[in-house]
Amino acid sequence: MSVLGIGNALVDILTRIDNDNILNELGLPKGSMQLVGEEFSIKAENILKKFDHSMAPGGSAANTIHGLAKCGVKTGYIGFTGNDEVGWFFEEAMKSAGVKPIMFHDNVHSGIAHAIISPDGERTFATDLGAAVLLNESHLTLDLFKGWDYCYVEGYLIANRPLFEKAIKLAKQAGCKVVLDLASYNVVEDNRDFLMALLPQIDIVFANEEEAKVLTHSTPEDALEFIAKNCEIAVVKVGSKGSFIKRGNEKVQVGVNKVNVVDTTGAGDMYAAGFMAGLIFGYDLKKCGELGNCLAGNVIQNIGAKLTEEQWKAIGF
């Protein structure tokens, strides 16, 4: 079984700040993902440069696909980067994890996501999509999707609705099951009606508590019921309370492991990677959720959205 991802190919610049006043200075709501231009990105870089930072391949779907590849799942990734060092770094990092990159390029700067980590581990993103935004529906052909079992789509792609719709349409035509992560509460809020209309075409949905509330105007458990009526599998994550999972009449709740939270960046992406790996390995829903929790619980002990090689070995991959 294999998974093809499609999303905004970004490189994360990970910066841990010592107080949240910097977010106010930048005008960034804590915990949100804000799209910014190159000018703002440069301003943020200047303000944040006094703090330690690191660089890693990023983007929601890319994080999940990277995690799946580390689990031993056959993976591919469709994205767009610039012909620059940032773009080359992204592609090489994906290849080194075992992902097959299906990349498009142009002579513009590659996308960068400033992942700003608060003292409590919450992360706020200021994302300059750069070249990533150049991926459009004209790049997608049926052949790209043929031979894959799942197509994993990140919710952030909804900013380009023709691309988002065509990716889902071609994936279904190619016989893929479509997996959607809702990405961010503000993305759901801005596109609620569009998402509601598309739900019946989605096979697996991942949502956190805030995204589920904005989508359904209800509690996490009621949101789970609603999504599960429209999709094959619904997953609603409720932070420290764990996650609710439903498929047909089967419903489970999975708790979380108590760990020291350093940075929540990538927690949802790695949960999805673990869950999908479990599904491909033939695990039951509870064990899928537990593997998702395991990867998420490990990644939040690190700066950034990747597990260390030592963590992968300890887990058994």
Side-chain angles (χ1 to χ4, degrees):
M1 300 285 276
S2 57
V3 185
L4 174 68
I6 179 168
N8 291 315
L10 306 170
V11 169
D12 289 340
I13 308 295
L14 307 152
T15 307
R16 196 170 188 186
I17 58 176
D18 57 10
N19 69 82
D20 289 338
N21 291 335
I22 291 152
L23 297 178
N24 297 330
E25 186 181 347
L26 288 166
L28 297 171
K30 184 176 178 179
S32 69
M33 192 291 293
Q34 301 293 319
L35 291 177
V36 301
E38 187 175 10
E39 186 178 336
F40 184 98
S41 185
I42 292 168
K43 175 188 173 184
E45 188 175 330
N46 288 332
I47 290 173
L48 296 168
K49 66 183 178 184
K50 63 181 178 180
F51 300 102
D52 290 338
H53 63 271
S54 59
M55 193 164 73
S60 177
N63 290 336
T64 298
I65 292 298
H66 188 281
L68 277 163
K70 297 294 285 185
C71 288
V73 175
K74 180 184 175 185
T75 55
Y77 181 81
I78 299 171
F80 203 119
T81 61
N83 288 313
D84 55 15
E85 286 188 22
V86 171
W88 302 327
F89 169 83
F90 177 91
E91 194 162 343
E92 286 306 311
M94 294 296 275
K95 279 182 186 175
S96 68
V99 179
K100 177 186 177 184
I102 304 166
M103 305 300 297
F104 299 91
H105 307 279
D106 204 347
N107 293 319
V108 293
H109 71 282
S110 294
I112 290 175
H114 289 283
I116 305 165
I117 305 145
S118 293
D120 63 0
E122 181 65 272
R123 83 282 186 270
T124 304
F125 282 98
T127 303
D128 173 13
L129 291 171
V133 79
L134 298 180
L135 184 67
N136 62 63
E137 68 274 17
S138 71
H139 294 107
L140 303 184
T141 63
L142 185 59
D143 284 346
L144 290 181
F145 295 85
K146 285 181 177 176
W148 300 94
D149 298 296
Y150 292 93
C151 178
Y152 187 94
V153 185
E154 66 178 59
Y156 294 121
L157 276 192
I158 207 168
N160 184 334
R161 290 190 181 185
L163 169 66
F164 191 82
E165 288 183 293
K166 188 171 182 182
I168 292 170
K169 179 183 175 183
L170 291 178
K172 299 298 276 189
Q173 284 180 5
C176 300
K177 288 191 174 185
V178 175
V179 186
L180 174 66
D181 186 287
L182 291 181
S184 172
Y185 71 86
N186 47 329
V187 168
V188 178
E189 195 169 44
D190 292 344
N191 300 279
R192 182 177 180 268
D193 292 344
F194 181 67
L195 280 167
M196 290 289 260
L198 273 177
L199 265 185
Q201 298 178 52
I202 312 299
D203 297 284
I204 302 173
V205 171
F206 290 96
N208 66 26
E209 188 170 2
E210 292 79 16
E211 293 153 7
K213 183 178 180 181
V214 172
L215 181 69
T216 66
H217 297 162
S218 61
T219 64
E221 289 194 72
D222 285 344
L224 182 83
E225 297 294 331
F226 176 85
I227 296 168
K229 284 178 183 174
N230 289 276
C231 307
E232 182 183 339
I233 299 176
V235 181
V236 177
K237 298 160 288 181
V238 284
S240 61
K241 297 174 188 174
S243 55
F244 297 110
I245 306 162
K246 187 166 187 186
R247 176 173 55 193
N249 294 322
E250 181 186 6
K251 179 181 173 182
V252 298
Q253 182 176 3
V254 181
V256 295
N257 306 318
K258 292 192 181 295
V259 297
N260 179 42
V261 179
V262 173
D263 170 18
T264 59
T265 305
D269 302 333
M270 294 312 296
Y271 179 98
F275 187 93
M276 290 301 302
L279 206 59
I280 287 166
F281 298 155
Y283 297 167
D284 60 32
L285 290 186
K286 187 171 179 61
K287 196 169 179 182
C288 289
E290 287 170 350
L291 183 53
N293 278 345
C294 177
L295 298 196
N298 272 274
V299 81
I300 63 176
Q301 296 177 65
N302 306 332
I303 295 290
K306 304 289 183 292
L307 275 65
T308 65
E309 289 303 318
E310 290 75 17
Q311 285 174 317
W312 283 117
K313 286 176 186 173
I315 294 166
F317 292 110

